Amino acid sequence: MTKQSFATALMTMVGAAVFAVSLPAAPVHAEDGALTKAWNSTRQGTEKAWDKTKSGTTEAWDKTKAGTDKAWDKTKAGTDKAWDKTKSGTEKVWDKTKSGTEKAWDKTKSGTTDAAHDVGKWGERTGQKIGNTSTAVGHDIRNGFTDDDKK
């Protein structure tokens, strides 16, 4: 394409654009226009979609609320049962511990008393042994110096 043919084509396009702008505007009918029909259709579809979303959200909330209430009731009941079992088990364990402690104390007390009596008897026995040993040693020494077999 030459410079001149390009310039001619450009001027023709500019002229056509000026001519198009100079024409009077075509009347727009709101009911008949394709744009209006598309807008109305979109608006109605949006309203229906919004109604469905709103309704679905309400129903979902109601189900969630009801499910939460049921779950809370089950949790509460389970917690109460667990607490009752824990409380009962603790009481039983405490009773066993108390009973075992009393038995252990009685054994300790009895064992301590018996040990104290044994210590007293040990002193008496030790004294008797020492007395008997000195007599026996005396006889052995005497027998070593004499031929007398008297015991």
Side-chain angles (χ1 to χ4, degrees):
M1 183 178 248
T2 65
K3 279 185 174 182
Q4 186 164 357
S5 61
F6 178 74
T8 305
L10 182 64
M11 288 306 283
T12 304
M13 283 194 278
V14 170
V18 170
F19 176 75
V21 171
S22 67
L23 292 175
V28 177
H29 298 286
E31 299 91 40
D32 298 337
L35 184 60
T36 303
K37 286 181 184 179
W39 170 249
N40 287 339
S41 176
T42 301
R43 189 181 61 171
Q44 288 172 355
T46 303
E47 287 174 3
K48 287 179 183 176
W50 173 248
D51 289 343
K52 285 183 178 181
T53 301
K54 184 178 171 185
S55 173
T57 303
T58 302
E59 288 174 16
W61 173 248
D62 290 343
K63 286 181 180 179
T64 301
K65 185 178 172 186
T68 303
D69 289 342
K70 288 178 184 175
W72 173 248
D73 290 344
K74 286 183 179 180
T75 302
K76 184 179 173 187
T79 304
D80 289 342
K81 287 179 185 175
W83 172 247
D84 290 343
K85 286 183 179 180
T86 302
K87 185 177 166 186
S88 172
T90 303
E91 288 171 357
K92 288 177 184 175
V93 168
W94 174 247
D95 289 344
K96 286 183 179 181
T97 302
K98 184 178 171 187
S99 173
T101 303
E102 288 171 356
K103 287 178 184 176
W105 174 246
D106 289 344
K107 285 184 179 181
T108 302
K109 184 177 165 185
S110 172
T112 304
T113 303
D114 291 347
H117 290 298
D118 285 348
V119 168
K121 291 177 185 175
W122 177 76
E124 292 172 10
R125 285 187 299 222
T126 302
Q128 289 172 356
K129 279 280 196 192
I130 291 172
N132 292 341
T133 302
S134 63
T135 306
V137 169
H139 283 289
D140 287 343
I141 293 172
R142 184 174 162 265
N143 287 342
F145 291 120
T146 63
D147 288 334
D148 197 6
D149 276 342
K150 293 182 185 175
K151 291 187 181 182

